Amino acid sequence: MLPSQFELPVAIPCEGDTLIGIVNKPEKTGRTGVVIVVAGGPQYRVGAHRQFVTLARLLAGHGIASIRFDHRGTGDSTGELRGFIDMNADIQSAIDTLFDHAPEIENVVLWGECESATASAFYSYLDVRVQGIFMVNPWIRTDAGLAKTIIKHYYWHRIMQKSFWKKVMSGKFSATNSLKSIVNMTQSIFTRSDNVSHSEMNDNFIELPLPVRLAKSCERFQGEIFILTSGFDLIAREFKDYLKSSEIWQKIIASVQVTLKDIPDADHTFSRLEWRKELLDQTVDWIMRLDSKRNNQSM
């Protein structure tokens, strides 16, 4: 049974709109709180497989206060949908609200999955209260990146499968259509590039290609970063491939600022219980270590 805690529905003011969220607070709260940022597709503050509810309650059971919320234009919140590219005001308002309801905390970790992981990084370096980011399968989708990922990870894997050759032998496989698809993807790789010269890497990150903007945001961030990826997910594979080729990311990793973990068989939403358990365990363990580290530094 979890220690005593409560869940409080909150209305969060945000630039004239109202965000709806839930604060989970244990009876005794540590110095680090967690803001669960939600974005991407039809998701709202409950999360796929109710994982945000489970995460918030698990955190509270370990003495960690949290808030999960619907950003503008989603769930029960008002306002126009802005998407993950423009969530800074939403995230700031959620942090303010968590501090209001849990005044014991001194800093926060932003926790995000897919688009919300990327949104968290975009905001992280703008607020000194943010001391950590937990990013799950960060979203850096571009046409060229997707094409490379599919060619590298899907087509090669597909031709090694028995089901593929059964389809070929049955006459249901269209070589012409598949060839056209591969040609189109190859063209997108060479006609659209995410490479940006150093002279273009100014402080206006908004104008940068998505993968570069995420990398530059994480480089600017002074706190610690945990990145957890799913092995059986094209979004994660696109990110991991970029990670290996990016000089910025290699510099960040070398600084020991980043912890990288992978769950080899997991899908994008951690649909199986064992995958979700590992995701939640990794989250709680890292945040508790981060909180303990901050406590030791302040003594």
Side-chain angles (χ1 to χ4, degrees):
M1 183 175 180
L2 294 177
S4 178
Q5 58 178 283
F6 68 81
E7 292 183 337
L8 176 68
V10 291
I12 306 168
C14 179
E15 296 186 336
D17 291 311
T18 301
L19 315 181
I20 301 301
I22 303 290
V23 170
N24 282 72
K25 187 173 184 293
E27 185 175 336
K28 185 178 180 181
T29 301
R31 297 186 180 187
T32 300
V34 176
V35 177
I36 300 172
V37 182
V38 183
Q43 286 204 74
Y44 73 119
R45 62 186 180 274
V46 171
H49 322 294
R50 292 182 62 80
Q51 69 179 15
F52 301 152
V53 177
T54 304
L55 173 59
R57 292 174 179 173
L58 185 61
L59 289 169
H62 287 81
I64 302 169
S66 69
I67 186 170
R68 48 192 170 88
F69 66 100
D70 302 334
H71 65 88
R72 282 176 287 183
T74 64
D76 295 312
S77 296
T78 66
E80 295 295 324
L81 178 63
R82 297 166 179 264
F84 75 101
I85 293 293
D86 185 16
M87 285 185 64
N88 283 356
D90 306 67
I91 295 173
Q92 180 179 348
S93 297
I95 295 174
D96 293 342
T97 300
L98 181 59
F99 269 82
D100 288 342
H101 289 279
E104 306 94 330
I105 66 175
E106 298 176 0
N107 57 79
V108 297
V109 166
L110 301 182
W111 192 102
E113 185 175 15
C114 194
E115 290 182 354
S116 62
T118 303
S120 297
F122 290 167
Y123 179 81
S124 62
Y125 65 92
L126 301 172
D127 192 330
V128 295
R129 297 173 295 180
V130 180
Q131 295 296 311
I133 323 170
F134 196 102
M135 299 197 294
V136 183
N137 296 328
W139 174 269
I140 58 165
R141 176 57 47 82
T142 63
D143 289 345
L146 176 61
K148 290 178 184 178
T149 303
I150 291 178
I151 290 174
K152 179 179 179 180
H153 296 287
Y154 175 76
Y155 280 112
W156 178 252
H157 176 73
R158 185 75 177 103
I159 64 174
M160 302 299 290
Q161 294 177 324
K162 185 183 295 185
S163 59
F164 169 78
W165 294 106
K166 284 184 177 180
K167 189 174 182 179
V168 172
M169 297 303 292
S170 68
K172 296 179 180 178
F173 173 74
S174 173
T176 301
N177 290 339
S178 295
L179 183 60
K180 285 182 180 178
S181 177
I182 293 174
V183 169
N184 289 336
M185 288 184 184
T186 303
Q187 287 177 338
S188 74
I189 293 173
F190 291 103
T191 58
R192 298 190 61 176
S193 175
D194 295 327
N195 295 324
V196 178
S197 67
H198 289 288
S199 62
E200 294 177 275
M201 290 186 180
N202 51 37
D203 287 338
N204 191 8
F205 294 168
I206 295 176
E207 297 179 359
L208 296 175
L210 184 57
V212 182
R213 182 182 174 188
L214 176 61
K216 292 295 291 181
S217 296
C218 290
E219 182 183 45
R220 178 70 64 86
F221 180 55
Q222 296 299 305
E224 296 189 36
I225 303 170
F226 191 109
I227 301 175
L228 181 66
T229 50
S230 301
F232 201 65
D233 175 43
L234 288 179
I235 291 172
R237 287 173 174 174
E238 182 176 352
F239 172 76
K240 287 186 285 188
D241 286 346
Y242 181 74
L243 201 74
K244 295 174 184 177
S245 64
S246 167
E247 293 183 4
I248 301 174
W249 272 113
Q250 293 308 309
K251 177 182 175 183
I252 299 171
I253 294 170
S255 71
V256 199
Q257 181 186 357
V258 178
T259 300
L260 299 172
K261 295 288 184 181
D262 186 76
I263 303 178
D265 297 325
D267 58 22
H268 185 67
T269 62
F270 304 86
S271 59
R272 290 185 180 177
L273 183 60
E274 61 266 31
W275 299 334
R276 290 200 299 279
K277 184 179 184 304
E278 187 168 354
L279 165 66
L280 298 175
D281 288 347
Q282 293 279 6
T283 297
V284 172
D285 289 347
W286 183 73
I287 292 173
M288 290 186 70
R289 287 199 300 270
L290 193 63
D291 187 52
S292 177
K293 183 177 179 179
R294 297 294 174 190
N295 289 340
N296 292 335
Q297 289 175 346
S298 64
M299 294 177 64

